[in-house]
Amino acid sequence: LYQRARMEYHHVSAKNGVADENQNAEKLSHIEKAYTTILSELGEDVKREGLLRTPLRAAKAMQFLTKGYKETIQDILNDAIFDENHEEMVIVKDIDLFSLCEHHLVPFFGKAHIAYLPNKKVVGLSKLARIVEIYSRRLQVQERLTKQIASAIAEALEPAGVAVVIEAVHMCMVMRGVQKMNASTVTSVMLGSFNDNAETRKEFLALTMQK
Amino acid sequence: MDHSKQTQYSQNEKKDAGASSSVLNGHFDGMAKRPAGGTGRAATAAAAQPPGAESSSHRPAASVMESWREERTRSVEDNEMSLPSLAAAYTTILRGLGEDPQRQGLLKTPWRAATAMQFFTKGYQEKIIDVLNDAIFDEDHDEMVIVKDIDMFSMCEHHLVPIFGRVHIGYLPNKRVLGLSKLARIVEIYSRRLQVQERLTKQIAVAITEALQPTGVGVVIEATHMCMVMRGVQKMNSKTVTSTMLGVFREDPKTRDEFLTLIRS
């Protein structure tokens, strides 16, 4: 038995499944109008050529960047769990990650490194990257993102251990505020053997963090 | 404090009203001039439908370039007055995306996002002439001056998503040199706006040309566009490079080569 990290936040539409088409179009036009307001309040001319369709493009971009809310783990994982007599560490590293800071609505991006110790069940490798996509395409906090990825893998595979490390650059720190160009934030979650066993953790960190 | 700011703005605007061209931010023919701190939104909305807007698609190349004495479209008071409606717009966006604006992490997000967006577009409230006036010096120097690797952050005007990269500037002075940080400040003024990389490059080059009348100016920008990296084609490693060469940088290939070699190293 190992400590399970609890999901701290469940998004409503993640439980609802398929979104209603009409509702989607209506929401899109609300967001579009909001962006038109934003452009004019910033002192720009919403009628100039470059900005004519910007509210629509920005609204669609925002919807794309938060599409993780509509996706569920079950949809992407159901098929790709295989019984395999493998108990050695499996690592997928340098997964490019793009998310939105929920405090400033500004991107943060970086890399995720994921490792797990299978307990007779392995998962298709790209599914680990898809799990990262589901949780990162949301309004996020890096700590919560790391935990959600780790606990999703833990619940789906019931492995002997899961480790997730995310190293990201936050534009809200780089483009504004303190304006530190080179600072990056590293968060990690270690579950099961990665938490209990220092050697396992060391092996994972050596294999992923060495440049 | 507010009152003294207002009178300062109205004086500046009156002074420049004669000198400024009819181009604003290089975007369209006509002035979207904000009255000094006062009636804000209504007057701006009226002024923002410039008479020449219909012809904006046919404007000649010259009027796309703005004069370095151009008007601000925004003042500090405008920032404070716009904040509530910006925040309301962001709340609508959060709701439209299916999020719950009342949860702890999002409670003050509309305000933070609104202030952040105002910061990302603060170039609209700055004028080149304010930044440069003091720092032009007469110096008997006619060799190339380069300031390179200037970090640049801008916003894509099509998707409202960040663009970031580096700017390299070189110029051949003609008896007048500019304070070095002022080159970086020119970059800041034009990049902190809703931009297109081609226009940004040209605006920087033209501003330096108009301020200094140098023998030549070269500006190279290499940037990553989040709208290409985070969405759409999703190409992580692609960079966009644009350049503007004016004066002797354009005419003389050797000068241009020297500039390009020096910024590479």
Side-chain angles (χ1 to χ4, degrees), chain A residues 9 11 27 34 39 41-42 44-45 48 50-51 54 57 64 69 98 102-103 137 144 174-175 179, chain B residues 27 41 48 74 82 85 96 98-99 103 105 109 112 119 124 153 157-158 192 194 229-230 234 236:
Chain A
Y9 172 70
H11 185 72
K27 283 184 180 165
L39 288 180
E41 289 297 331
L42 290 175
E44 263 285 6
D45 168 31
R48 69 172 172 91
L51 292 187
T54 290
R57 285 185 291 240
F64 179 86
Y69 288 125
F98 300 93
E102 73 177 16
H103 299 138
R137 299 289 185 181
R144 183 196 314 138
V174 170
M175 282 179 79
Q179 297 191 57
Chain B
H27 298 159
R41 234 157 285 138
R74 206 164 99 186
S82 319
S85 40
E99 263 285 5
R103 70 172 171 92
T109 291
R112 285 185 292 240
F119 182 88
Y124 290 127
F153 301 95
E157 74 176 15
H158 300 137
R192 297 289 186 184
L194 304 183
V229 171
M230 282 181 81
Q234 299 193 57
M236 310 291 144

Side-chain angles (χ1 to χ4, degrees), chain A residues 23 27 32 40 65 85 88 91 93 100 104 112 118-119 121 123 131 133 135-136 141 143 148 155 169 193 203-204 210:
Chain A
Q23 256 188 1
K27 283 184 180 165
E32 198 184 333
S40 55
L65 297 176
N85 197 5
E88 297 295 325
I91 301 177
K93 61 178 188 165
L100 278 177
H104 301 94
N119 187 10
K121 283 201 255 181
V123 70
I131 293 177
E133 271 285 292
Y135 289 116
S136 61
V141 163
E143 295 87 334
Q148 283 176 326
E155 288 182 17
V169 171
S193 332
E203 181 186 342
F204 164 63
Q210 254 156 27

Side-chain angles (χ1 to χ4, degrees), chain B residues 15 22 38 69 76-77 85 90-91 94 113 118 125 131 136 149 173 178 197 203-204 222:
Chain B
K15 230 188 332 181
S22 64
R69 294 172 188 278
V76 176
E77 291 91 6
S85 40
Y90 274 111
T91 312
L94 289 178
Q118 285 185 333
Q125 41 187 97
V131 147
I136 298 181
D149 293 330
L178 185 59
Q197 192 176 329
Q203 283 176 328
I204 296 171
E222 39 180 65

Side-chain angles (χ1 to χ4, degrees), chain B residues 88-105:
Chain B
Y90 274 111
T91 312
T92 312
I93 292 174
L94 289 178
R95 240 182 244 118
L97 294 174
E99 263 285 5
D100 168 26
Q102 300 304 316
R103 70 172 171 92
Q104 187 208 37

Side-chain angles (χ1 to χ4, degrees), chain B residues 118-138:
Chain B
Q118 285 185 333
F119 182 88
F120 295 144
T121 54
K122 69 180 167 69
Y124 290 127
Q125 41 187 97
E126 296 162 352
K127 285 160 63 160
I128 300 289
I129 196 171
D130 292 334
V131 147
L132 288 188
N133 250 353
D134 327 50
I136 298 181
F137 306 106
D138 296 314

